[in-house]
Amino acid sequence: MTIRRMDNVLIVVDDLDAVISFFVELGMELEGRGPLEWRGAERVIGLDDVRQDIAMLRIPDGHGRIELAKFHRPRAVRGEPEDAPANTLGLRRVMFAVDDIDDVVARLRAHGAELVGEIVRYEDVYRLCYVRGPRASSSDWPRSSADGPPARPPGPPAWCGRPPGPRPPA
């Protein structure tokens, strides 16, 4: 038995609208949004008396999704400090490919994104930076982007872009 695909990553948030706007500005497409009314979900996640709204966003090519969840009941729990450092245990980032890192960072700043450090060139392959998204999440949820080969640097969320010119072979 093998894995067929990675279907989605769940991010629990406090402000669903703000986080949807953030990812739509990045270029993701809102696939659907609404209350999750399936009682089987309670059995899957191991919580009782759940009331939540969810949104599913997809990468334009359709091969990756992010699910957002806003818990009304029970309330979301903060599992780590806000602005947790890169060496905090757990999921630290999600990477996406972008065409123009400078444009993406500028547009996302209007949605509450902040550079963690600075935009840096990785060899002559692509440019990379870490960005934190809007303060609308229940934890330091991962946000990132890569253009060109995915980077594997340690640390918090990353936005990566590649230098101008032809794309490297896939």
Side-chain angles (χ1 to χ4, degrees):
M1 186 167 156
T2 61
I3 295 174
R4 295 188 333 210
R5 69 177 181 272
M6 186 175 127
D7 196 55
N8 69 68
V9 173
L10 172 66
I11 301 170
V12 177
V13 302
D14 286 333
D15 186 337
L16 194 58
D17 292 327
V19 181
I20 288 171
S21 293
F22 179 84
F23 281 112
V24 167
E25 185 65 37
L26 174 62
M28 296 190 78
E29 299 168 353
L30 181 61
E31 204 172 72
R33 171 190 183 151
L36 180 60
E37 298 176 342
W38 178 53
R39 291 293 159 217
E42 292 178 347
R43 295 193 320 267
V44 171
I45 65 174
L47 294 173
D48 294 323
D49 197 28
V50 172
R51 190 174 142 259
Q52 66 177 312
D53 291 319
I54 62 168
M56 187 67 74
L57 296 113
R58 72 171 170 263
I59 306 281
D61 71 5
H63 293 284
R65 289 178 173 74
I66 291 181
E67 180 179 346
L68 305 175
K70 161 68 176 165
F71 280 83
H72 301 284
R73 190 179 57 235
R75 295 200 50 103
V77 176
R78 184 171 300 281
E80 58 192 38
E82 200 166 308
D83 295 331
N87 62 341
T88 302
L89 293 174
L91 185 63
R92 304 295 349 132
R93 71 165 183 251
V94 176
M95 296 191 97
F96 301 99
V98 300
D99 292 325
D100 183 340
I101 190 170
D102 298 304
D103 176 63
V104 168
V105 169
R107 288 186 295 114
L108 292 177
R109 281 183 164 162
H111 291 271
E114 301 171 354
L115 277 171
V116 173
E118 60 187 85
I119 299 173
V120 176
R121 180 170 301 284
Y122 174 74
E123 298 179 351
D124 284 330
V125 182
Y126 51 84
R127 294 169 63 219
L128 164 74
C129 69
Y130 290 174
V131 175
R132 290 192 198 280
R135 298 285 177 225
S137 63
S138 64
S139 66
D140 176 27
W141 49 271
R143 297 150 301 275
S144 70
S145 170
D147 191 57
R152 299 281 186 252
W159 297 102
C160 304
R162 66 175 182 80
R167 288 190 177 275

